[in-house]
């Protein structure tokens, strides 16, 4: 297993820990870690292996061994959002200060990851489901369409939020990151 750090990860960590309130930093770190732990745990239950862990500007990326079946792929992809849902349900057990922030951050992380975009958990789940029922060629075509549609809608929403809140451009940056990642991946 290898561990690596993206060159821009330090900037993201600096902003998170030194420019954000401590309860926000706690909520983001714990939500992301539990999300990725959900994926890793599900993969290990299927006797998969963790190949690498990469710290990125947008979180943590874990590379797992390829799934042996569509059911395994679907389950491993769904385990991250399910872990966020469990964290939301258990958040009232936390002290009052971070409770609402944890609930909000976990809900956002879960919701975004369930979008049918090829690089996110929702896209992986959709690909596994369609591949199992209709075949891999149709799954790839369907996922291409849903990725473009979902990213376009997310981009429009992020522009709307940016122009009407005049302050929050996080979603806009996230969309730009997803667009660039998908563009570079296609090359």
């Amino acid at each position: 297993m290898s561990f690596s750090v993206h060159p821009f990860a330090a900037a993201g960590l600096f902003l998170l820990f030194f420019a954000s309130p401590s309860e926000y930093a706690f909520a983001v770190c714990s939500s992301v870690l539990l999300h990725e732990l959900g994926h890793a745990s599900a993969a290990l239950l299927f006797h998969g292996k963790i190949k690498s862990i990469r710290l990125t500007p947008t979180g943590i990326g874990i590379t797992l061994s390829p799934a042996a079946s569509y059911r395994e792929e679907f389950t491993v992809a769904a385990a991250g959002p399910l872990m966020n849902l469990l964290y939301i349900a258990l958040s009232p057990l936390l002290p009052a200060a971070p409770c609402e922030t944890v609930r909000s951050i976990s809900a956002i992380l879960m919701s975004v990851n369930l979008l049918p975009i090829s690089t996110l958990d929702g896209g992986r789940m959709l690909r596994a489901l369609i591949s199992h029922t209709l075949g891999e060629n149709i799954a790839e075509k369907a996922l291409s369409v849903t990725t473009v549609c979902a990213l376009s809608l997310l981009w429009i929403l992020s522009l709307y939020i940016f122009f009407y809140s005049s302050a929050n451009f996080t979603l806009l940056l996230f969309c730009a990151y997803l667009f660039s990642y998908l563009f570079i991946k296609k090359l």
Side-chain angles (χ1 to χ4, degrees), residues 58-138:
T58 57
I60 299 172
I62 296 179
T63 305
L64 303 168
S65 57
S69 68
Y70 297 125
R71 190 184 111 211
E72 179 182 340
E73 177 65 19
F74 185 89
T75 305
V76 170
L82 283 174
M83 185 64 91
N84 288 120
L85 187 61
L86 180 64
Y87 196 31
I88 292 167
L90 296 176
S91 65
L93 300 175
L94 295 170
C99 178
E100 191 59 40
T101 308
V102 162
R103 218 183 344 247
S104 299
I105 297 296
S106 282
I108 290 168
L109 182 61
M110 179 183 69
S111 300
V112 168
N113 267 287
L114 287 174
L115 291 172
I117 297 173
S118 62
T119 56
L120 300 177
D121 298 332
R124 291 174 52 206
M125 291 163 56
L126 184 63
R127 179 185 294 122
L129 188 64
I130 295 175
S131 293
H132 178 69
T133 55
L134 301 173
E136 289 185 21
N137 289 336
I138 294 174

Side-chain angles (χ1 to χ4, degrees), residues 19-91:
S20 302
S22 59
E23 66 185 43
Y24 180 79
F26 169 77
V28 169
C29 287
S30 60
S31 296
V32 169
L33 284 172
L34 286 172
H35 179 93
E36 293 303 326
L37 222 127
H39 291 309
S41 300
L44 293 173
L45 284 174
F46 283 101
H47 306 291
K49 292 188 172 42
I50 298 173
K51 290 184 168 185
S52 67
I53 299 173
R54 182 174 171 95
L55 191 59
T56 68
T58 57
I60 299 172
I62 296 179
T63 305
L64 303 168
S65 57
S69 68
Y70 297 125
R71 190 184 111 211
E72 179 182 340
E73 177 65 19
F74 185 89
T75 305
V76 170
L82 283 174
M83 185 64 91
N84 288 120
L85 187 61
L86 180 64
Y87 196 31
I88 292 167
L90 296 176
S91 65

